């Protein structure tokens, strides 16, 4: 008589299904935390965007007209030469502002993060943020007072014997005002990146005989590249939709996308369909910039 040593095969019990009560208890926490913000985004972002998209498909719609989407005529109007010129001007202002803020903000942020005394860094950084506590309209009117023909700048130039400058209602005035408005954003983002700069690599580069310029381009810039990308995209996104600075400092010759959209909704044109199409194009451009900001922004938090 032989005794079998094989282990009998037993079927595994079926998995226990979670009851509705247990599943509900697990969803209460996330819904309680995400519900208010999700409702806020749904009512004030998603639904208005869908409404704008619906209006953008209606030709020559005005207040009170029946909304019947009938094609992409409004989007084709965006590519008309006069409208492309406005879009190009907006892109020029955005790129110009970003470049000026980067060139001015990087040395300042580097000095605050690496060279300024530690006990004064927060105070100096606060000094750059203080202008954001005032109204953007008030800051723009201050620049009008400075740049107008009889303003502060030309008065000072006259005292030292230099000719007056015609800056107001021109492109330089717009770039000056926009750069002043968004420079604090660039400085704070670059400061957060430069604060984490590994000084041991800088010392190693100097010990190996690298010149300061080589150290800057081969050691400093690669370490701070995510911060440069984040600050540049943040300034670009903000300046692309700026309305106040181009309108007040540039005059009638500085028509931007924001002003053109305003004219379609609240101006004499009253073409909500075309204004909605322009809004959707601007939203698409900003969304692409935000996606790039998320992808190439600084992923490492400050320590």
């Amino acid at each position: 008589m032989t005794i079998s040593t094989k282990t009998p095969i037993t079927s595994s019990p079926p998995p226990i299904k979670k009851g509705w009560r247990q599943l509900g208890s697990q969803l209460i926490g996330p819904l309680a935390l995400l519900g208010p913000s999700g409702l806020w985004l749904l009512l004030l972002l998603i639904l208005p965007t869908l409404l704008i998209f619906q209006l953008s498909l209606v030709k020559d719609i005005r207040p009170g007209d029946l909304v019947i989407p009938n094609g992409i005529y409004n989007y084709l109007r965006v590519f008309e030469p006069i409208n492309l010129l406005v879009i190009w001007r907006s892109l020029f202002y955005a790129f110009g502002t970003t470049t000026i803020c980067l060139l001015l903000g990087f040395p300042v942020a580097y000095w605050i993060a690496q060279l300024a005394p530690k006990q004064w860094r927060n105070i100096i950084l606060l000094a750059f943020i203080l202008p954001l506590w005032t109204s953007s309209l008030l800051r723009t009117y201050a620049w009008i007072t400075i740049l107008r023909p009889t303003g502060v700048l030309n008065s000072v130039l006259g005292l030292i014997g230099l000719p007056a400058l015609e800056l107001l209602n021109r492109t330089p005035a717009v770039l000056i005002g926009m750069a002043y408005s968004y420079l604090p954003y660039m400085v704070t983002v670059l400061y957060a990146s430069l604060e984490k700069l590994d000084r041991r690599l800088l010392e190693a580069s100097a010990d190996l005989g690298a010149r300061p310029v080589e150290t800057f381009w081969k050691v400093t810039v690669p370490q701070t590249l995510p911060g440069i990308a984040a600050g540049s995209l943040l300034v670009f996104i903000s300046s692309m939709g700026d309305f106040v600075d181009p309108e007040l400092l540039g005059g009638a010759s500085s028509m931007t996308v924001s002003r053109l959209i305003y004219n379609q909704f609240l101006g004499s044109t009253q073409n909500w369909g075309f204004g909605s199409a322009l809004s959707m194009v601007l939203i698409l451009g900003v969304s692409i910039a935000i996606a790039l900001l998320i992808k190439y922004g600084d992923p490492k938090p400050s320590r």
Side-chain angles (χ1 to χ4, degrees):
M1 181 177 177
T2 59
I3 301 175
S4 176
T5 58
K6 294 182 179 180
T7 305
I9 299 175
T10 58
S11 59
S12 58
I16 302 175
K17 295 182 178 180
K18 296 181 179 180
W20 290 104
R21 183 177 299 178
Q22 184 180 1
L23 182 61
S25 62
Q26 294 179 352
L27 293 177
I28 289 177
L31 287 176
L33 294 175
L34 301 177
S37 59
L39 182 62
W40 181 271
L41 291 175
L42 176 65
L43 295 178
L44 299 180
L45 179 62
I46 298 177
L47 292 181
T49 303
L50 293 176
L51 178 60
I52 292 174
F53 178 69
Q54 184 184 26
L55 290 175
S56 69
L57 299 176
V58 184
K59 180 180 178 181
D60 298 330
I61 186 172
R62 295 176 179 272
D65 293 348
L66 187 62
V67 179
I68 303 178
N70 53 16
I72 59 172
Y73 170 79
N74 294 317
Y75 289 96
L76 296 178
R77 283 194 59 190
V78 174
F79 297 97
E80 294 178 356
I82 188 172
N83 297 322
L84 289 177
L85 178 62
V86 173
I87 295 175
W88 164 249
R89 186 181 295 113
S90 300
L91 290 172
F92 173 77
Y93 287 154
F95 278 115
T97 302
T98 303
T99 302
I100 295 173
C101 288
L102 181 59
L103 294 177
L104 296 179
F106 195 95
V108 174
Y110 184 88
W111 179 79
I112 297 175
Q114 297 294 326
L115 303 178
K118 290 185 177 180
Q119 63 271 22
W120 292 101
R121 289 179 184 175
N122 292 334
I123 298 177
I124 298 173
L125 195 62
L126 179 63
F128 276 90
I129 302 176
L130 279 177
L132 298 179
W133 294 9
T134 60
S135 170
S136 60
L137 187 63
L138 181 63
R139 297 196 301 267
T140 304
Y141 274 114
W143 276 111
I144 292 176
T145 304
I146 296 173
L147 299 177
R148 64 186 179 183
T150 57
V152 177
L153 177 62
N154 286 329
S155 298
V156 173
L157 292 177
L159 291 176
I160 60 179
L162 295 177
L165 298 176
E166 294 290 338
L167 296 177
L168 193 61
N169 296 329
R170 299 176 183 269
T171 298
V174 178
L175 293 176
I176 290 172
M178 294 177 67
Y180 175 79
S181 298
Y182 300 115
L183 183 61
Y185 297 107
M186 180 68 77
V187 171
T188 51
V189 173
L190 290 177
Y191 170 81
S193 182
L194 288 166
E195 191 183 21
K196 300 178 293 184
L197 191 64
D198 192 348
R199 296 192 63 86
R200 295 173 299 179
L201 297 178
L202 301 178
E203 296 172 357
S205 176
D207 293 339
L208 293 174
R211 293 176 297 177
V213 176
E214 294 176 338
T215 301
F216 174 78
W217 286 110
K218 295 182 179 181
V219 179
T220 303
V221 171
Q223 289 190 74
T224 58
L225 192 57
I228 293 174
S232 300
L233 287 172
L234 179 62
V235 172
F236 179 83
I237 292 170
S238 302
S239 56
M240 187 65 186
D242 196 341
F243 176 84
V244 176
D245 290 312
E247 179 67 16
L248 296 181
L249 296 175
S253 61
S254 63
M255 175 73 72
T256 59
V257 176
S258 300
R259 177 65 185 179
L260 186 59
I261 293 174
Y262 171 87
N263 289 342
Q264 306 306 315
F265 285 97
L266 300 177
S268 58
T269 308
Q270 291 287 304
N271 189 343
W272 285 17
F274 180 55
S276 299
L278 286 170
S279 301
M280 291 303 302
V281 171
L282 185 60
I283 290 173
L284 177 61
V286 171
S287 300
I288 293 175
I290 292 175
L292 294 174
L293 176 61
I294 295 174
K295 181 175 178 61
Y296 297 105
D298 195 347
K300 298 179 181 179
S302 302
R303 295 182 179 178

